[in-house]
Amino acid sequence: SKNGKEYILNIIDTPGHVDFSYEVSRSLYACEGSILIVDSTQGVEAQTLANVYQAMDINHEIIPVLNKIDLAASDLDRTKKQIEDVIGIETQNAIPCSGKTGEGIDDILEQIVNQLPGPKGNLDQDLKCLLVDSWYDTYLGVVILVRVINGKIIKNMKIKMLSTNQDYIVEKVGLFTPKAKDVSELNSGEIGFITTGIKVLSDTKVGDTICDASKPIVEALPGFKPSKPVVFCGLFPVDSSEYQKLKDGLAKLQLNDASFSYEAESSSALGLGFRCGFLGLLHLEIITERLEREFDVNLLTTTPGVVYKVKLNNGEIKDLQNPSSLPDPTFIQSIEEPWIKATIITPDNYLGSIMKLCQDKRGIQINLSYSGNRAVISYELPLNEVVFDFNDRIKSMTSGYASFDYEILEHREGDLVKLGILVNGESVDALAMMIHKDFAQKTGREVCEKLKDLIPRHNFMIPVQAAIGGKIIARETIKGFKKDVLTKIHGGGATDRKRKLLEKQKKGKARSKQFGRVEIPQEAFIGVLKISKEK
């Protein structure tokens, strides 16, 4: 309370990472203003930039806050100058604070009440409300966090979701204070939660508009986008008996996260598994990490890939997630790949190596600016090149000081080919990858060399080849064991007997090469999937 008035503050903490930028945009849309927290020891990070611009786009009042001032490394003047240079916000009223000692917290609350406008909304109009977030509760089903814009939500009223056109009865209405507290209604301008007996999270889409089912509105709130996976990869259990465990794990994770998709897939090399789609690399890491920790499944993940648009000669456009299902090249007119705009903020002494890395990844430089000894670089890059190890390499190159953020631009035509790997003449589907023509030879050679070391020797010679379509571009040979069949022949000169035995051995080898199966051990797959990471 202040000046004898009571204020209610609803605060949403947004994720910083680019994979979840859509959720950030909906959270910002539900609020009247933003608090920009910058670490006074680190300065502005790349993620901060993307989120600040989103807040500026919807004309938010922004309060800059400098955190961690209790640390010795904190430098307020430098951080303020950087915020002004890089973001372009006035910082004379920026509030220094420390979450650890509690210093400056009252000033922040003061500024929120003075600077940020109160929520505007019209109680008398028909209900219009934004779905900000939803999560699964074991007892209540799906709990939906809503921001009421006009009108009010009352317990037991019938509501409609515009994107799915479904009607539901509101069973429970509540507020967070911070503990959940049941109330009978939520009025315009308020944020609270409702439950409606929905059992699956995918029915509640973030950013959806909720209205009164008896007075449906035609115009939805702007900015709604259904979530679309951007990065795909195959998940296989290392031990095939854990398949059911993996399936249950994925189903449970999907209860609380509807933004990743999965479908069953089988591979001749890796057995049964799932093809999963994620919002981005961090999302992929989180899900695989949780499967391994919480559900105790040992996982093998194939190389992450992106969605390509394949234009066929008959004018049809196909979305391609898995390289092994690429149509025959003779039917393909062109292949388009997604491009991103990357923003990298780095101390300027690492600038050269970062620019070289981006150039190697087929990047196009757009912009370069400085703030003190920090450089801000913008590049356009193909997502395919970034998806694998880009972030790790930037971090290791710059001792962790650089930060990297990206937004997806569009699909552009590229000179892409499918690189297939053949072992003993049979293609190994799990190792197929889409790659730019210029890098195909080098990568093909590396994969073949690695497999040569990892596949155990058999009784016959095994060729390991990399191919683009029908053209072999690299080859390694795994030598076969040779049994000495001549030991039992004593004395010299028995050349006919020797020849016969050798002929017989040769026939046997030819036969086993024809019918023999080459077992590729799991380590070989893991080894090959790691190659690109070490490059």
Side-chain angles (χ1 to χ4, degrees):
S1 63
K2 178 177 186 268
N3 315 337
K5 283 187 184 172
E6 291 275 323
Y7 289 94
I8 298 174
L9 303 181
N10 283 302
I11 300 171
I12 298 181
D13 177 24
T14 61
H17 201 274
V18 51
D19 289 3
F20 311 110
S21 59
Y22 172 65
E23 281 82 347
V24 173
S25 79
R26 295 303 82 203
S27 301
L28 291 173
Y29 190 78
C31 300
E32 269 62 42
S34 303
I35 302 171
L36 166 68
I37 301 178
V38 178
D39 183 334
S40 62
T41 61
Q42 287 264 354
V44 178
E45 299 275 313
Q47 285 90 322
T48 321
L49 269 187
N51 293 352
V52 170
Y53 291 144
Q54 284 200 2
M56 287 173 166
D57 285 347
I58 51 176
N59 298 323
H60 264 200
E61 188 67 45
I62 295 173
I63 300 173
V65 170
L66 310 173
N67 189 18
K68 302 193 184 172
I69 57 168
D70 55 294
L71 295 178
S74 155
D75 184 341
L76 293 182
D77 294 335
R78 194 193 70 210
T79 311
K80 278 187 184 177
K81 184 174 182 326
Q82 204 183 344
I83 293 176
E84 286 181 1
D85 288 351
V86 177
I87 302 173
I89 300 179
E90 290 288 307
T91 54
Q92 68 257 33
N93 297 332
I95 308 164
C97 80
S98 159
K100 191 172 178 183
T101 62
E103 188 185 334
I105 304 298
D106 294 345
D107 299 343
I108 297 177
L109 295 173
E110 188 100 356
Q111 282 262 30
I112 291 174
V113 172
N114 293 337
Q115 296 283 334
L116 303 186
K120 300 176 195 65
N122 198 329
L123 246 183
D124 310 324
Q125 285 188 3
D126 295 341
L127 172 68
K128 188 180 206 176
C129 127
L130 172 74
L131 194 158
V132 184
D133 192 10
S134 56
W135 59 91
Y136 186 79
D137 181 288
T138 335
Y139 303 107
L140 302 170
V142 174
V143 181
I144 303 168
L145 185 69
V146 292
R147 156 72 203 263
V148 186
I149 292 173
N150 292 328
K152 56 183 173 183
I153 282 193
I154 309 165
K155 200 173 169 178
N156 297 331
M157 83 185 277
K158 197 173 189 187
I159 55 167
K160 182 192 260 325
M161 304 248 185
L162 284 194
S163 76
T164 54
N165 217 0
Q166 297 279 355
D167 295 358
Y168 303 99
I169 303 277
V170 177
E171 294 174 359
K172 192 179 171 111
V173 178
L175 293 168
F176 288 110
T177 65
K179 287 196 172 71
K181 170 183 158 196
D182 290 4
V183 291
S184 57
E185 60 181 49
L186 281 177
N187 295 321
S188 61
E190 294 188 326
I191 283 191
F193 67 89
I194 57 172
T195 63
T196 58
I198 296 177
K199 294 281 183 285
V200 276
L201 210 59
S202 50
D203 291 351
T204 57
K205 298 183 170 25
V206 172
D208 201 352
T209 308
I210 299 174
C211 63
D212 188 334
S214 56
K215 302 175 195 160
I217 46 177
V218 185
E219 205 170 303
L221 294 164
F224 172 71
K225 284 201 307 237
S227 73
K228 259 185 27 206
V230 177
V231 175
F232 283 83
C233 88
L235 297 183
F236 295 87
V238 169
D239 177 359
S240 53
S241 63
E242 288 187 336
Y243 174 74
Q244 193 55 44
K245 217 166 156 189
L246 173 62
K247 191 176 179 180
D248 298 344
L250 286 167
K252 280 183 185 156
L253 286 182
Q254 201 168 36
L255 281 178
N256 255 328
D257 182 356
S259 54
F260 91 93
S261 57
Y262 66 94
E263 52 185 48
E265 174 185 51
S266 74
S267 143
S268 57
L270 298 174
L272 291 172
F274 294 92
R275 186 96 193 144
C276 305
F278 306 93
L279 295 173
L281 287 179
L282 178 79
H283 194 207
L284 181 152
E285 238 167 82
I286 292 168
I287 299 281
T288 47
E289 200 53 35
R290 284 189 67 180
L291 283 168
E292 293 193 328
R293 283 189 196 174
E294 293 171 32
F295 301 99
D296 197 28
V297 185
N298 282 325
L299 278 184
L300 237 183
T301 50
T302 62
T303 319
V306 295
V307 183
Y308 299 95
K309 288 194 184 311
V310 179
K311 204 170 178 185
L312 302 175
N313 290 333
N314 59 10
E316 202 185 323
I317 293 179
K318 270 189 168 177
D319 278 355
L320 176 79
Q321 300 164 5
N322 193 346
S324 54
S325 52
L326 184 76
D328 189 293
T330 49
F331 299 132
I332 297 173
Q333 189 183 327
S334 62
I335 302 177
E336 294 183 351
E337 58 179 339
W339 277 65
I340 59 169
K341 180 181 176 217
T343 308
I344 302 165
I345 300 184
T346 170
D348 54 8
N349 48 340
Y350 300 117
L351 193 60
S353 48
I354 284 189
M355 287 167 90
K356 182 179 182 314
L357 173 68
C358 293
Q359 231 76 53
D360 290 348
K361 300 269 187 196
R362 300 191 278 140
I364 303 165
Q365 188 181 332
I366 302 169
N367 204 339
L368 170 61
S369 59
Y370 284 91
S371 159
N373 66 343
R374 284 257 169 145
V376 181
I377 330 167
S378 298
Y379 261 92
E380 284 183 1
L381 289 151
L383 182 59
N384 179 17
E385 302 290 337
V386 173
V387 94
F388 207 70
D389 57 343
F390 190 72
N391 204 10
D392 300 350
R393 287 183 60 186
I394 279 191
K395 289 284 183 207
S396 58
M397 246 176 212
T398 60
S399 320
Y401 282 115
S403 55
F404 157 70
D405 185 79
Y406 67 88
E407 55 181 306
I408 296 209
L409 292 173
E410 71 216 333
H411 275 73
R412 297 184 192 167
E413 201 175 308
D415 198 355
L416 299 161
V417 291
K418 173 184 157 189
L419 180 69
I421 302 295
L422 304 154
V423 173
N424 201 20
E426 281 182 33
S427 106
V428 183
D429 55 358
L431 296 178
M433 58 183 105
M434 295 297 295
I435 195 161
H436 193 267
K437 214 170 185 171
D438 298 350
F439 304 151
Q441 187 119 19
K442 180 169 176 276
T443 309
R445 205 165 39 242
E446 281 172 356
V447 173
C448 289
E449 282 167 8
K450 194 83 178 175
L451 278 176
K452 181 188 176 188
D453 297 340
L454 292 167
I455 295 177
R457 285 172 69 181
H458 286 53
N459 278 337
F460 49 93
M461 183 191 78
I462 306 168
V464 178
Q465 296 158 314
I468 297 174
K471 184 179 170 209
I472 305 290
I473 55 166
R475 166 176 173 143
E476 290 287 333
T477 307
I478 301 171
K479 290 199 172 97
F481 288 122
K482 189 171 183 205
K483 184 179 169 193
D484 188 358
V485 285
L486 305 179
T487 42
K488 53 181 182 248
I489 298 179
H490 295 294
T495 46
D496 248 20
R497 284 170 64 203
K498 282 184 186 171
R499 201 196 67 244
K500 262 185 191 162
L501 282 172
L502 289 171
E503 288 286 327
K504 192 172 165 191
Q505 184 186 31
K506 203 168 165 188
K507 275 186 189 151
K509 278 199 189 296
R511 192 163 169 277
S512 61
K513 184 170 167 51
Q514 192 181 346
F515 300 112
R517 291 229 31 221
V518 178
E519 286 295 323
I520 304 178
Q522 292 287 22
E523 299 80 66
F525 283 107
I526 299 170
V528 170
L529 297 175
K530 275 189 187 151
I531 290 188
S532 334
K533 279 195 173 152
E534 291 159 6
K535 260 198 268 175

